[in-house]
Amino acid sequence: MIEVSNLWKKFGRHDALRGLTFHVPEGAAFALIGANGAGKTTTIKALMNIIEPTRGNITVLGVDSKKLSPRELSRIGYVSENQDMPARMTVADYIAYLRPFYPDWDRNLEAEILKRLRLPANRHIRDLSHGMRMKNSLACALPFRPKLLVLDEPFSGLDPLVRDEFMEGLLDQAGEMTILISSHELSEIEGMVTHVGFIDEGKLLFAESMTDLTGRFREVRVVLEQPVSTSSKQPEHWLGLQTSGNVLTFVDTRFTETGFGELVTSFVGAARRIDTEPMALRSIFTTLARACRDTTELQQEKTI
Ligand code: ATP
């Protein structure tokens, strides 16, 4: 669905993207995550041919993103808070204006979505609140059953009820399309996401399936026989080490069940008890974001 190869984007002398390579398989819900300014929106804009990459190749639905024609665009839904919409049109007029551009537009689905999102059809777009504008953007992107749906920060500024409504609108169709989403609302999207790409300062540190990612991250708590010696060396993929008396806590970014107990004792001595907890996407993100802030690029490659 999407292939990105060695994508670079310079703004003046600033490298906003530094050689991103990843692909989004058909049917995936791929989340691009990263701290503020990491390069998520820039990546999405390059994919959607809104900005031109400095270097690299992107194909979307099998076509070079710089050559996306109305045929491909009629199969791609794009939702972003930065989207321009004609302020003087009403919601209903705008939707009527869009319909002819999409051969697969489904009027019944359109009616269902408008009802579910409770959008005021006769209100002018200029009079919509921020949340209503985002819902309007979604209502325009779903009725043609896009093959690919690209969502850039779709939840920003939405109240919890609107988020739920937005999410329901999305989940109804999620199985039928490929989704690329950038969002900081990781708890909201966790249940939907199948793949995750993590960007830090314009570099993609990894892109992998949620199963692999959640499989290799564990919150670990070790109760040792002896107080922890802070001088002992630990593996670089143990992040956020903290000690308190006999208790050691950390996040293992390369957890494997087999031999884990032996590995722990070989580094920190005999353990009375070892507990490991799977981590939610949000906790994985905060662990990674903290590690990125505190380590050099070279260390990141070893630890993440
Ligand atoms: P956020 O989570 O805050 O939305 P992001 O990951 O989407 O962040 P981008 O908007 O892609 O980040 O920005 C990446 C970097 O590129 C930032 O350092 C930003 O300041 C810079 N940048 C983005 N657009 C421009 C522009 N038009 N001109 C100059 N610099 C830009």
Side-chain angles (χ1 to χ4, degrees):
M1 275 285 150
I2 298 175
E3 296 275 350
V4 176
S5 170
N6 196 26
L7 177 64
W8 285 78
K9 179 65 190 174
K10 271 180 181 291
F11 289 112
R13 289 163 68 186
H14 174 64
D15 288 310
L17 301 179
R18 301 186 289 153
L20 266 61
T21 298
F22 65 96
H23 80 283
V24 179
E26 183 163 2
F30 187 108
L32 262 187
I33 65 174
N36 289 135
K40 303 176 295 293
T41 296
T42 306
T43 305
I44 287 178
K45 284 184 173 170
L47 290 170
M48 299 303 298
N49 199 23
I50 296 169
I51 58 169
E52 197 176 336
T54 308
R55 262 207 311 279
N57 296 307
I58 306 172
T59 58
V60 179
L61 301 179
V63 174
D64 183 335
S65 64
K66 287 182 216 146
K67 296 181 184 146
L68 285 172
S69 70
R71 185 169 170 274
E72 287 84 37
L73 291 172
S74 73
R75 296 157 72 206
I76 302 174
Y78 174 53
V79 176
S80 153
E81 64 176 329
N82 307 313
Q83 230 165 340
D84 279 335
M85 285 186 271
R88 283 190 293 177
M89 279 191 180
T90 62
V91 169
D93 287 345
Y94 185 45
I95 286 177
Y97 162 79
L98 290 175
R99 270 182 221 128
F101 291 102
Y102 299 93
D104 296 328
W105 193 283
D106 178 339
R107 296 282 301 252
N108 291 331
L109 182 58
E110 170 201 313
E112 235 176 78
I113 291 166
L114 285 176
K115 195 168 154 211
R116 178 190 282 277
L117 295 178
R118 293 183 294 111
L119 269 169
N122 295 322
R123 185 116 13 125
H124 285 100
I125 289 175
R126 64 169 175 250
D127 298 331
L128 297 179
S129 73
H130 176 76
M132 286 166 158
R133 282 176 67 89
M134 293 306 290
K135 287 204 279 186
N136 190 40
S137 186
L138 187 69
C140 297
L142 291 179
F144 55 94
R145 301 184 187 278
K147 290 279 291 174
L148 172 66
L149 183 66
V150 179
L151 304 156
D152 188 8
E153 280 298 341
F155 304 108
S156 78
L158 300 190
D159 75 48
L161 177 61
V162 176
R163 275 180 207 199
D164 283 359
E165 289 168 347
F166 193 102
M167 206 58 201
E168 282 164 23
L170 207 56
L171 286 174
D172 270 0
Q173 266 177 270
E176 299 170 27
M177 54 198 177
T178 304
I179 298 174
L180 176 68
I181 182 167
S182 107
S183 177
H184 293 293
E185 307 303 330
L186 302 179
S187 312
E188 311 274 348
I189 62 169
E190 171 149 21
M192 180 183 79
V193 164
T194 62
H195 292 73
V196 178
F198 181 85
I199 306 185
D200 178 57
E201 297 188 354
K203 280 192 102 170
L204 189 80
L205 295 192
F206 62 78
E208 64 193 68
S209 74
M210 260 299 267
T211 317
D212 288 350
L213 182 68
T214 50
R216 72 182 174 92
F217 272 78
R218 283 293 181 283
E219 241 157 20
V220 182
R221 184 174 184 276
V222 185
V223 182
L224 293 156
E225 297 286 358
Q226 305 285 327
V228 184
S229 153
T230 46
S231 60
S232 61
K233 194 167 160 39
Q234 283 94 28
E236 279 159 336
H237 53 92
W238 289 4
L239 302 181
L241 269 116
Q242 292 196 342
T243 57
S244 169
N246 287 22
V247 178
L248 169 73
T249 55
F250 61 91
V251 170
D252 190 356
T253 65
R254 295 194 197 148
F255 174 77
T256 46
E257 198 88 54
T258 322
F260 186 69
E262 290 81 352
L263 179 77
V264 170
T265 50
S266 73
F267 277 98
V268 292
R272 211 178 295 157
R273 189 187 163 121
I274 301 175
D275 293 306
T276 59
E277 279 288 327
M279 295 170 70
L281 185 58
R282 191 180 184 284
S283 306
I284 293 175
F285 173 81
T286 51
T287 303
L288 290 174
R290 205 168 286 131
C292 286
R293 203 184 50 196
D294 298 344
T295 56
T296 63
E297 265 181 42
L298 193 64
Q299 278 174 308
Q300 280 172 16
E301 276 165 27
K302 291 190 203 153
T303 56
I304 293 169

